[in-house]
Amino acid sequence: MTFLEQIKNDFNLYAAQATEDSFSDLRKNAFATFEKLGVPTTQLEEWKYSNLRSVQQGNFTTSCVSNLDADALIKAGILNKIIANKLVFVNGCLFPELSIWLETDERIVVSSLAQARKEHPATFEAHFGKYINFSEEGLLALNTALMSDGAFVFVPEGAAMQHPLMITNITDANEHSVFQQPRNLIIIEKNASATVIENYMAVGVHASFTNVVNEIFVGENGQLEHYKVQRAAGETYHANYTQLHQLANTNINQVTLTLDGKWVRNNLHFFMNGQNCNSLLYGLYIPDGNQFVDNHSRVDHAKPNCFSDEKYKGILKDDAVAVFNGKIVVHEDAQKTNAYQRNQNILLSNTATINTKPQLEIFADDVKCTHGATIGQLDEEPMFYLRSRGISEQEARRLLLNAFADDIAEKIKIPQLVAILESEIDRKL
Amino acid sequence: MISIKNLHASIEGKSILNGINLDIKPGEVHAIMGPNGAGKSTLSSVLAGRADYTVTAGEVNFMGKDLLELSPEDRAREGMFLAFQYPVEIPGVSSTNFLKTAINEKRKYHGQEPMEATDFLKFMRSKMEEMEMDKSLTSRSLNEGFSGGEKKRNEVFQMAMLEPKFCIMDETDSGLDIDALRLVSAGVNKLRNSERSFLVITHYQRLLDYIVPDFVHVLYKGRIVKSGDASLAKELEVKGYDWIKQEVEAAV
């Protein structure tokens, strides 16, 4: 079965089960849009370097059947060292045995998305699909048409989560190829705060295509720490679209760590729809072998007096290919905007490739914006300096690359996550 | 300590050193002076193992080993230390971590166990006291945001920590005001002893007022053309380099 046949097939299956399917009414329109847009191709400017052709050869299974038991999943590494609320999904469906809930504030709701639609319909309807616009994005339409399940997080006015929430998605491709459409909805209301970690893991030898959509709303004076950790190794294709919608006086710190995965496309879109917002977006990618990593970001300054700071850093090895495409859009009303954007890359081989494109679109006249990109090798002079003190070439390289990456690691406020990152950096470098 | 024989070196096909001969014994301080472009910095780079230079002839024996066969890190582990003319700023690498790594790599090379963290900190604290180093300098990233004087003092502090046998000071006085020069020199003088040798490379005599050498050599066109004691430096200060150049040209 080709990929497109598979999608059609899945949609028909959902349609046939309309009575028990939580999302059937939402699917139809999105599917029609997907049929019109199709899977993005390199003909599209925003997909120039990101080729999904090999996914389209197909033979995926849309089923969350997995023979993994809880122990195997824990061994697969679901960041056990972090004390956190945990929601674990396997091949797109909730795996309740591994879910952990530590919060005592009963007003806070965390559940699967399907459950939330039944139990909290008003909140669900008020936010679901309100921030993304699938009319021009094939993969967004596809996710909406075929969404499997995902997390629903609701932190009501004035509430503060005491522990991070970790949403772990495990791809089990031991038995068959996996095709999944996780969909998360995170609502932080006025004066509320939360920390959310998205954690992607994979086991098995077969291929997988994971097409994630996150919608995140942060109400006035809200605070969010958001981390995305991509460690799904193997034949994994991973597309992630995260839309953040923030109101006045909100602070968001977002860090994207892309360590593993055959093909990864991150789309991160901040929409600052209120004054005095702070949006921080940081990323680190360390592709090697034949890995492909694409970080696309867009920051919309729609209102005055907001601050955004973006820094993405890459260390590329072997034949890895990476893309950085960052766009800051300052709307006409958004006077006194401060926006910064940097992309810095170190290429460790002659055959690694980076395509970087920092962009500014400014429609206001009283703003401070900078952007820039660098591509280079490890500098000779610091290497020689370290070696002249008796430090081996290998150790000198490790020190310098760690220093380069530390700049991003220090944006992470969970020490255990930093420790995991450091050991991953050591492993990769 | 170190014996340099007929050393020739070039960069990008251009010959810079044209037969250097120099013997330095334990505890001796030798100064190399010379006009710009004489090859002073090339000599320090070649001895420390910078890859940009090609040694085309000659040999260097460093405490019984063929120095030119050793990697830069092995030269350091064998006891050589180069105080850089322009120490590099390395953001993100803490001075403490850097020194600990350097010391432990050297210990490993000599078959010793790594230093325990607490022993290392104790050792570092005592050296900081001895060298009158400001605490804030070691808590920061290596040389990052340091003033010219702080960088040079940090070089001397590293020297104290790594306890080398042979130190090359590459134009340590460049960019220093008189107060910084005095502090740096005082540090170096504390590290002088009957075992440790120094090669002090400088364009000006004033550094040698503070670090008084046993021998002074004048480098010109890649060769040592005159040697003497500390008084030669004073003579150069008064008469400049021209008379030496004339002497050399006349001899040709």
Side-chain angles (χ1 to χ4, degrees):
Chain A
M1 204 183 313
T2 70
F3 187 58
L4 287 174
E5 283 165 0
Q6 169 86 49
I7 290 169
K8 209 165 262 182
N9 197 35
D10 286 349
F11 179 72
N12 290 334
L13 274 173
Y14 281 123
Q17 301 161 358
T19 47
E20 62 235 62
D21 176 15
S22 305
F23 311 113
S24 66
D25 53 326
L26 302 167
R27 297 187 194 280
K28 213 172 144 190
N29 199 3
F31 186 72
T33 305
F34 172 73
E35 282 201 299
K36 200 173 75 200
L37 298 171
V39 174
T41 68
T42 51
Q43 304 290 307
L44 298 168
E45 180 63 24
E46 296 296 319
W47 288 81
K48 196 170 164 187
Y49 303 105
S50 312
N51 199 331
L52 268 176
R53 208 169 46 216
S54 45
V55 162
Q56 304 202 42
Q57 273 127 41
N59 272 327
F60 289 104
T61 310
T62 308
S63 157
C64 48
V65 170
S66 164
N67 294 322
L68 291 180
D69 58 12
D71 282 348
L73 292 176
I74 288 168
K75 276 201 199 106
I78 50 174
L79 305 188
N80 298 306
K81 287 178 189 143
I82 298 179
I83 298 166
N85 301 294
K86 288 175 186 172
L87 275 183
V88 177
F89 294 85
V90 178
N91 292 349
C93 297
L94 184 65
F95 197 92
E97 293 91 322
L98 285 178
S99 298
I100 295 171
W101 190 238
L102 304 170
E103 299 301 315
T104 49
D105 186 339
E106 287 174 1
R107 298 174 299 160
I108 300 171
V109 179
V110 171
S111 73
S112 79
L113 196 64
Q115 201 182 342
R117 194 172 191 202
K118 287 185 196 119
E119 293 171 9
H120 306 277
T123 311
F124 182 94
E125 299 305 334
H127 293 281
F128 183 88
K130 297 295 185 286
Y131 311 113
I132 63 152
N133 175 8
F134 63 61
S135 65
E136 282 173 14
E137 292 277 347
L139 291 182
L140 286 180
L142 177 63
N143 175 283
T144 309
L146 300 183
M147 60 186 148
S148 15
D149 201 350
F152 173 82
V153 182
F154 177 64
V155 189
E157 186 171 341
M161 281 182 73
Q162 298 305 305
H163 299 280
L165 167 68
M166 192 155 73
I167 303 167
T168 298
N169 176 288
I170 298 176
T171 299
D172 173 12
N174 275 314
E175 312 284 324
H176 49 70
S177 301
V178 175
F179 181 38
Q180 55 183 336
Q181 318 281 333
R183 176 73 173 244
N184 303 311
L185 176 59
I186 297 166
I187 302 154
I188 318 283
E189 283 199 324
K190 198 173 171 178
N191 298 320
S193 65
T195 296
V196 177
I197 306 165
E198 270 180 77
N199 176 33
Y200 294 91
M201 309 292 308
V203 290
V205 296
H206 294 281
S208 63
F209 181 41
T210 304
N211 178 31
V212 188
V213 173
N214 294 307
E215 277 186 288
I216 302 176
F217 169 84
V218 184
E220 275 177 39
N221 303 311
Q223 316 275 337
L224 173 68
E225 291 281 323
H226 184 246
Y227 303 102
K228 186 200 168 197
V229 187
Q230 170 57 261
R231 293 202 292 161
E235 287 290 297
T236 55
Y237 291 79
H238 177 101
N240 183 305
Y241 198 106
T242 298
Q243 173 76 52
L244 295 112
H245 191 95
Q246 54 187 129
L247 300 186
N249 308 313
T250 49
N251 292 311
I252 300 179
N253 182 41
Q254 209 285 343
V255 183
T256 300
L257 306 173
T258 307
L259 302 166
D260 271 316
K262 184 186 169 88
W263 185 101
V264 179
R265 160 91 171 201
N266 293 312
N267 263 93
L268 185 61
H269 185 183
F270 278 70
F271 195 91
M272 305 162 93
N273 199 15
Q275 294 205 34
N276 304 312
C277 291
N278 279 308
S279 298
L280 312 176
L281 43 161
Y282 303 112
L284 180 67
Y285 43 98
I286 313 179
D288 56 10
N290 289 308
Q291 271 185 276
F292 171 84
V293 179
D294 178 352
N295 282 296
H296 258 68
S297 65
R298 175 178 168 132
V299 178
D300 273 275
H301 280 262
K303 295 282 156 66
N305 300 311
C306 290
F307 172 85
S308 69
D309 185 34
E310 175 171 21
K311 188 189 271 185
Y312 269 70
K313 286 187 144 186
I315 302 171
L316 286 76
K317 287 175 72 179
D318 310 329
D319 297 320
V321 177
V323 177
F324 173 83
N325 187 308
K327 192 187 273 184
I328 298 171
V329 183
V330 182
H331 295 220
E332 207 178 331
D333 283 348
Q335 300 296 1
K336 305 283 180 195
T337 287
N338 272 317
Y340 304 95
Q341 184 192 73
R342 279 145 300 168
N343 174 232
Q344 296 169 299
N345 299 281
I346 292 181
L347 270 55
L348 296 179
S349 81
N350 290 331
T351 46
T353 307
I354 170 78
N355 303 289
T356 177
K357 189 177 177 188
Q359 304 172 74
L360 289 174
E361 287 181 15
I362 303 175
F363 300 97
D365 54 16
D366 184 13
V367 303
K368 234 189 261 170
C369 296
T370 63
H371 66 160
T374 59
I375 302 168
Q377 296 162 316
L378 215 47
D379 286 344
E380 288 292 328
E381 203 49 32
M383 277 295 283
F384 181 68
Y385 189 80
L386 295 175
R387 292 178 70 192
S388 79
R389 298 300 182 249
I391 297 172
S392 67
E393 196 173 356
Q394 192 189 353
E395 187 62 20
R397 179 186 298 264
R398 202 185 66 82
L399 277 172
L400 293 173
L401 291 175
N402 268 310
F404 179 78
D406 262 0
D407 211 13
I408 301 301
E410 70 182 22
K411 310 295 184 191
I412 300 171
K413 294 177 185 156
I414 302 171
Q416 299 96 324
L417 191 54
V418 176
I420 288 164
L421 174 65
E422 280 169 355
S423 69
E424 287 288 302
I425 291 171
D426 274 353
R427 178 180 66 86
K428 292 215 84 163
L429 300 176
Chain B
M1 177 68 57
I2 189 163
S3 165
I4 303 169
K5 287 203 175 74
N6 191 32
L7 185 65
H8 287 68
S10 64
I11 184 163
E12 288 164 1
K14 193 174 173 237
S15 177
I16 310 280
L17 299 184
N18 299 306
I20 303 261
N21 291 292
L22 185 62
D23 264 301
I24 300 175
K25 296 193 170 54
E28 290 178 352
V29 176
H30 290 241
I32 296 260
M33 298 184 71
N36 289 330
K40 300 192 297 290
S41 282
T42 300
L43 178 59
S44 71
S45 293
V46 168
L47 292 179
R50 212 184 262 281
D52 319 349
Y53 297 90
T54 316
V55 174
T56 50
E59 55 191 75
V60 181
N61 185 301
F62 181 49
M63 298 193 306
K65 294 222 157 99
D66 179 356
L67 182 83
L68 301 175
E69 287 298 306
L70 299 175
S71 65
E73 54 268 37
D74 282 350
R75 295 178 195 201
R77 292 159 179 172
E78 289 288 348
M80 181 181 284
F81 183 95
L82 169 65
F84 280 59
Q85 184 179 2
Y86 303 109
V88 187
E89 296 195 18
I90 309 186
V93 173
S94 83
S95 297
T96 308
N97 189 22
F98 156 72
L99 282 168
K100 199 167 134 202
T101 308
I103 284 178
N104 283 335
E105 291 240 332
K106 185 177 175 187
R107 290 176 69 92
K108 195 165 119 194
Y109 180 80
H110 291 287
Q112 294 166 302
E113 290 294 308
M115 221 184 222
E116 293 286 338
T118 49
D119 292 343
F120 171 78
L121 288 175
K122 223 180 280 168
F123 177 65
M124 189 165 86
R125 223 171 293 137
S126 76
K127 288 290 177 190
M128 279 168 72
E129 236 162 73
E130 186 190 332
M131 306 307 291
E132 295 169 48
M133 280 292 284
D134 196 82
K135 227 177 166 169
S136 70
L137 290 187
T138 49
S139 62
R140 281 149 64 182
S141 283
L142 189 51
N143 292 327
E144 191 185 21
F146 285 23
S147 70
E150 286 171 337
K151 280 180 186 165
K152 299 292 169 75
R153 287 191 67 197
N154 197 27
E155 295 289 288
V156 179
F157 174 62
Q158 288 174 29
M159 198 188 276
M161 288 291 289
L162 295 169
E163 302 178 313
K165 300 189 176 85
F166 173 56
C167 306
I168 305 165
M169 320 250 347
D170 188 7
E171 308 217 15
T172 297
D173 50 337
S174 70
L176 292 189
D177 61 28
I178 197 74
D179 291 329
L181 186 65
R182 222 175 258 148
L183 276 169
V184 169
S185 307
V188 172
N189 285 330
K190 273 186 195 165
L191 297 173
R192 281 178 78 161
N193 61 35
S194 60
E195 300 297 314
R196 187 172 287 145
S197 313
F198 287 83
L199 183 63
V200 181
I201 291 170
T202 179
H203 184 80
Y204 298 105
Q205 186 265 339
R206 62 172 193 170
L207 176 67
L208 305 180
D209 283 343
Y210 299 98
I211 305 171
V212 181
D214 302 309
F215 303 94
V216 174
H217 311 278
V218 180
L219 194 66
Y220 180 58
K221 289 192 169 170
R223 248 186 233 116
I224 290 175
V225 293
K226 202 169 190 65
S227 296
D229 60 14
S231 65
L232 176 58
K234 302 246 191 257
E235 196 178 351
L236 286 167
E237 182 69 8
V238 176
K239 294 161 74 177
Y241 287 109
D242 280 350
W243 64 282
I244 291 190
K245 288 182 191 173
Q246 282 158 13
E247 264 185 32
V248 173
E249 306 303 338
V252 169

